Amino acid sequence: MRVLIVEDDPMIGKALRTALRDEAMTVDWVRNANDAEHALVTHSYTLILLDIGLPGRSGLDLLRSLRDKGVEISTLIISARDDIDNRVDGLDLGADDYLVKPFEMRELLARMRAVMRRRHGGQAVSDLTNGEITLDLNSHQMTFRGTTHILPAKEFALVRTLMERPGAIFSRAQLEEQLYGWGEEVESNAIDVLIHYIRRKFGKDIILNMRGVGWMIDKATR
């Protein structure tokens, strides 16, 4: 899950980026509408956290522009403006939800989950299962062939990426794109190291290496 934060306040932006990365999300952070538009052209995002009071163009102007262009990425407005007019305008322009600052992080996470459920037909998914593999999306606990471990954030994010498309082969570049946001240092062997740690917990059969191409979780893992 890759999230774009559009927030000009450095304290809030840094806090959100840290908290969401701790939840195994890949996070990019920009401070104005123009940089947000550039990010949306160059990367694929699951959800936008959008402040209204941005320097230059407002968050509402950005949202209007995106919807006019047919960009339907899930958008959750986070704003200190709690008057009814701003809330109605934001929702009418196509925001999926509106959360007033200050807020508790657990409420933001709950609202993000609710937005994603609505985008996927209202189904609340608490785990991913493929053959003998079960990945709990809330606790980050994975079970494979009777062995269970709670995965650190990056290992969880890697397994989740592979589990969401079993049978699909992901290259190193694709996995790095999914797991690392701007400003995160990525060693040349970072993906190999994560896969090594996961295999050390569960065995080499958990993730298959397609030599010279990438990695996958087999649909038929049983």
Side-chain angles (χ1 to χ4, degrees):
M1 182 172 180
R2 191 171 191 131
V3 178
L4 179 64
I5 301 170
V6 189
E7 169 63 65
D8 67 314
D9 185 303
M11 185 177 296
I12 295 174
K14 288 177 184 178
L16 286 173
R17 183 176 61 185
T18 299
L20 295 181
R21 283 179 176 175
D22 287 345
E23 293 293 324
M25 299 180 197
T26 303
V27 185
D28 296 330
W29 169 34
V30 297
R31 303 189 186 192
N32 60 65
N34 291 340
D35 287 347
E37 286 190 323
H38 177 71
L40 289 164
V41 170
T42 56
H43 296 280
S44 177
Y45 293 96
T46 309
L47 185 142
I48 304 171
L49 296 180
L50 177 63
D51 185 24
I52 289 180
L54 301 172
R57 296 168 58 199
S58 73
L60 292 180
D61 181 65
L62 171 63
L63 181 58
R64 181 184 296 107
S65 175
L66 294 177
R67 295 307 189 234
D68 286 347
K69 294 174 183 176
V71 178
E72 295 298 330
I73 297 173
S74 299
T75 302
L76 199 167
I77 290 176
I78 49 172
S79 176
R81 301 179 185 178
D82 61 353
D83 59 282
I84 188 65
D85 288 339
N86 276 297
R87 283 181 283 169
V88 169
D89 287 345
L91 294 170
D92 282 347
L93 285 173
D96 295 271
D97 201 354
Y98 192 114
L99 181 59
V100 176
K101 302 172 185 174
F103 49 79
E104 292 284 342
M105 193 63 207
R106 60 179 180 171
E107 181 181 3
L108 174 63
L109 293 171
R111 286 176 181 261
M112 291 171 69
R113 290 193 296 268
V115 166
M116 298 312 300
R117 284 199 298 272
R118 290 197 294 271
R119 287 278 176 162
H120 294 88
Q123 296 297 315
V125 178
S126 61
D127 57 54
L128 296 174
T129 300
N130 179 51
E132 293 179 302
I133 306 174
T134 299
L135 183 67
D136 189 307
L137 301 181
N138 296 320
S139 69
H140 295 189
Q141 180 174 284
M142 186 167 81
T143 299
F144 177 61
R145 294 178 180 172
T147 299
T148 298
H149 290 281
I150 295 176
L151 300 181
K154 280 290 186 281
E155 292 177 32
F156 170 81
L158 189 150
V159 173
R160 178 172 183 169
T161 297
L162 297 176
M163 286 281 287
E164 286 177 340
R165 292 180 59 195
I169 301 172
F170 287 79
S171 68
R172 183 184 308 278
Q174 288 173 322
L175 290 173
E176 289 176 349
E177 167 77 12
Q178 291 293 320
L179 269 62
Y180 296 96
W182 303 340
E184 288 189 88
E185 293 186 10
V186 186
E187 299 290 340
S188 60
N189 66 338
I191 300 300
D192 305 79
V193 170
L194 290 173
I195 291 173
H196 169 73
Y197 287 150
I198 294 165
R199 285 174 169 169
R200 192 165 66 181
K201 293 181 178 79
F202 297 98
K204 62 182 179 63
D205 293 340
I206 189 74
I207 296 174
L208 304 181
N209 180 16
M210 314 307 290
R211 188 172 297 277
V213 183
W215 296 269
M216 64 179 284
I217 283 179
D218 193 346
K219 276 185 177 180
T221 300
R222 291 195 177 277

